[in-house]
């Protein structure tokens, strides 16, 4: 929500008036000097939207405020050009509305366009969240990197490395939405106060690592690669079992952590699943995710997958002692089984542990056959959100 600065206004005053933590207002206005606000300057207030109210007979700003149980000063700030003593019938007055409900509608097929729409809405309401681009997919779709918090302590989360595991994207998006709601309404999230998480940890979230593949599973093949993907899929137009990117490369078997060994026991050509590519980091998606980690020096990494109701936290004995402590905590809060080692290599968390000797986790949400049904969403979200919150602590 945008407001126009009046003479004598301060960000601290707005914080008190709107009951929004000052740090969130400051971070929503990175180009504004908080010590020298100028009359007429536009300020973003996070956590609010604006509604228009037509003035009726006998209405006053005080009456309108009382009807909504809000401070009349909110209306005075939002309507600086309105003379409160001379309201006209039919005149439109801006009414601030605190956002207390979810934007992300996660219980439906969730393709790239739906994610993009939700991100746009979240950014408009919560401008302290920042959107970057980690890279692009084969077909040129952006791999969005959403940031919440500004601390040097950083945690990376990602989802939909595998196309038919697309349900992990709305899981992560809903978590971001719940976190943002908790911050602007000064609430706890899964029993943990939200604001200290924001000030102490920077969250990096890439909600859809394989947008081309997700769109393929949900919407069918795009015309420009239709023949190629149908051939890779052995002539079938049923892409429900497709895990790979649009070129038939499994993105979570692309990282240089014993890739040379893993390639000997996997498909030797593009496939709907498990083909590691002809070289590690050959795909734009995996190169982007590797570059992101190299640049940002993350302290922890969590990759959301399905299925198994378990998570993997070790790799070749290279994981630090902290990983076991975190694994025990994650298992306790989520109810998922903590598994140290599995017979698998060249995944994103494997490479992260190998290269940086920091805690990395592959979280296998839900149970059954991929793609998991939306009927499991609530159960999966409950476990995942508790685990994700505690990864930020």
């Amino acid at each position: 929500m945008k407001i126009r600065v009046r003479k004598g206004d301060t960000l601290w005053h707005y914080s008190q008036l709107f009951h929004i933590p000052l740090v969130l207002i400051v971070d929503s206005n990175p180009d504004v000097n908080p010590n020298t606000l100028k009359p007429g300057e536009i300020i973003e207030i996070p956590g609010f939207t604006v509604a228009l109210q037509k003035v009726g007979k006998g209405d006053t700003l005080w009456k309108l405020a009382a009807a909504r149980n809000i401070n009349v000063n909110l209306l005075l700030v939002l309507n600086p050009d309105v003379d409160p003593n001379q309201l006209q019938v039919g005149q439109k007055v801006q009414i601030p509305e605190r956002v207390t409900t979810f934007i992300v509608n996660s219980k439906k097929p969730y393709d790239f366009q739906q994610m993009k729409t939700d991100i746009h809405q979240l950014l408009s309401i919560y401008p302290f969240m920042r959107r970057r681009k980690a890279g692009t997919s084969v077909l040129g779709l952006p791999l969005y990197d959403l940031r919440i918090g500004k601390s040097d302590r950083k945690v990376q989360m990602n989802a939909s490395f595998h196309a038919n595991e697309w349900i992990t994207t709305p899981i992560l998006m809903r978590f971001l939405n719940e976190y943002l709601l908790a911050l602007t309404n000064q609430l706890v999230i899964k029993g943990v106060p939200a604001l200290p998480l924001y000030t102490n940890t920077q969250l990096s979230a890439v909600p859809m690592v394989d947008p081309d593949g997700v769109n393929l599973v949900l919407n069918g093949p795009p015309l420009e690669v239709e023949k190629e993907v149908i051939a890779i899929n052995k002539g079938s137009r049923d892409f429900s079992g497709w895990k790979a990117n649009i070129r038939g490369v499994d993105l979570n078997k692309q990282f240089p952590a014993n890739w040379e060994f893993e390639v000997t026991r996997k498909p030797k050509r593009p496939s709907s699943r498990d083909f590691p590519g002809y070289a590690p980091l050959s795909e734009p998606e995996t190169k982007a995710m590797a570059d992101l980690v190299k640049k940002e020096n993350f302290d922890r990494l969590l990759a959301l997958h399905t299925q198994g109701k378990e998570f993997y936290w070790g790799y070749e004995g290279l994981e630090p002692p902290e990983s076991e402590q975190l694994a025990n905590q994650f298992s306790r809060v989520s109810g998922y089984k903590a598994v140290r080692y599995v017979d698998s290599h060249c995944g994103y968390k494997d490479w992260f542990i190998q290269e940086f000797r920091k805690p990395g986790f592959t979280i296998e949400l839900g149970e059954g056959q991929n793609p998991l049904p939306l009927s499991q969403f609530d159960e999966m979200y409950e476990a995942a959100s508790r685990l994700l919150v505690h990864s930020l602590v």
Side-chain angles (χ1 to χ4, degrees):
M1 180 181 73
K2 292 179 171 60
I3 61 174
R4 198 155 17 111
V5 173
R6 305 167 303 173
K7 186 177 180 180
D9 281 354
T10 64
L11 295 188
W12 182 87
H13 172 65
Y14 297 149
S15 172
Q16 298 300 303
L17 187 60
F18 290 96
H19 300 289
I20 295 291
L22 178 59
V23 64
L24 301 183
I25 297 179
V26 171
D27 289 351
S28 294
N29 298 276
D31 298 325
V32 171
N33 186 334
N35 300 314
T36 58
L37 294 190
K38 301 173 184 177
E41 200 168 11
I42 301 300
I43 297 296
E44 294 268 12
I45 303 296
F48 281 83
T49 58
V50 173
L52 291 177
Q53 172 73 50
K54 280 189 177 181
V55 174
K57 187 177 181 180
D59 278 346
T60 66
L61 288 187
W62 288 266
K63 184 177 178 180
L64 293 174
R68 290 161 179 77
N69 195 30
I70 61 175
N71 189 324
V72 70
N73 287 317
L74 296 179
L75 300 186
L76 294 171
V77 167
L78 203 57
N79 298 276
D81 297 326
V82 171
D83 185 339
N85 299 310
Q86 295 185 5
L87 294 187
Q88 305 295 318
V89 174
Q91 183 178 6
K92 291 182 179 179
V93 174
Q94 293 191 86
I95 306 292
E97 295 189 340
R98 181 180 286 274
V99 178
T100 59
T101 56
F102 283 96
I103 297 300
V104 175
N105 181 1
S106 44
K107 295 186 179 180
K108 61 181 181 180
Y110 204 87
D111 62 8
F112 174 81
Q113 186 57 50
Q114 184 60 57
M115 180 190 70
K116 183 179 179 181
T117 298
D118 286 346
I119 289 173
H120 178 75
Q121 288 188 272
L122 290 175
L123 288 169
S124 69
I125 299 171
Y126 306 102
F128 57 86
M129 182 174 81
R130 303 172 310 286
R131 177 180 56 193
R132 305 178 182 182
K133 190 170 78 170
T136 56
S137 69
V138 171
L139 297 182
L141 295 178
L143 275 58
Y144 289 125
D145 175 17
L146 306 176
R147 299 295 178 102
I148 303 176
K150 292 201 305 184
S151 171
D152 290 336
R153 180 178 183 267
K154 300 175 184 179
V155 174
Q156 212 291 312
M157 300 176 185
N158 56 79
S160 289
F161 250 96
H162 287 143
N164 68 346
E165 298 175 11
W166 59 263
I167 199 170
T168 57
T169 292
I171 292 280
L172 184 50
M173 288 293 295
R174 188 171 180 87
F175 173 72
L176 297 179
N177 198 164
E178 184 175 6
Y179 186 20
L180 294 166
L181 276 169
L183 286 168
T184 52
N185 291 285
Q186 302 188 60
L187 303 173
V188 299
I189 176 170
K190 306 305 178 189
V192 179
L195 193 58
L197 297 179
Y198 181 87
T199 55
N200 294 329
T201 304
Q202 179 179 167
L203 168 59
S204 158
V206 180
M208 192 177 288
V209 177
D210 185 11
D212 300 341
V214 169
N215 282 352
L216 174 65
V217 170
L218 293 176
N219 305 326
L223 289 176
E224 63 265 38
V225 292
E226 183 175 17
K227 291 182 179 179
E228 292 88 339
V229 295
I230 290 175
I232 293 171
N233 206 36
K234 299 179 179 178
S236 173
R237 287 183 172 270
D238 178 4
F239 292 95
S240 58
W242 188 283
K243 293 178 65 175
N245 77 346
I246 204 73
R247 290 202 292 222
V249 177
D250 189 320
L251 297 179
N252 205 41
K253 296 188 180 300
Q254 262 272 287
F255 293 88
N258 284 323
W259 181 90
E260 294 80 4
F261 168 73
E262 194 76 350
V263 76
T264 63
R265 55 182 188 171
K266 296 299 179 184
K268 303 299 186 278
R269 59 180 61 87
S271 173
S272 62
R273 55 177 296 155
D274 298 332
F275 174 55
Y278 296 112
L281 302 181
S282 63
E283 304 308 291
E285 299 93 344
T286 50
K287 187 177 185 305
M289 295 303 289
D291 289 345
L292 178 66
V293 168
K294 292 174 184 176
K295 177 182 177 182
E296 294 290 343
N297 192 31
F298 294 114
D299 294 280
R300 297 173 185 173
L301 182 144
L302 295 91
L304 299 185
H305 290 256
T306 57
Q307 43 75 27
K309 290 188 177 181
E310 60 188 14
F311 60 87
Y312 313 130
W313 60 273
Y315 186 67
E316 301 284 276
L318 302 174
E319 64 281 356
E322 179 190 3
S323 295
E324 185 169 11
Q325 299 167 12
L326 287 170
N328 291 335
Q329 183 182 25
F330 292 169
S331 183
R332 177 178 57 81
V333 299
S334 68
Y336 280 13
K337 181 182 178 181
V339 179
R340 187 166 193 170
Y341 300 127
V342 291
D343 183 19
S344 180
H345 301 276
C346 60
Y348 193 39
K349 79 79 178 160
D350 303 332
W351 173 76
F352 179 76
I353 293 173
Q354 172 186 279
E355 292 299 305
F356 303 99
R357 304 296 200 271
K358 292 180 179 180
F361 302 86
T362 298
I363 318 297
E364 299 285 357
L365 301 175
E367 231 171 8
Q369 181 177 342
N370 291 326
L372 295 184
L374 283 165
S375 60
Q376 286 195 33
F377 185 91
D378 288 341
E379 181 184 350
M380 286 193 292
Y381 181 73
E382 185 63 22
S385 58
R386 291 182 180 279
L387 192 156
L388 295 176
V389 164
H390 283 269
S391 75
L392 299 174
V393 175

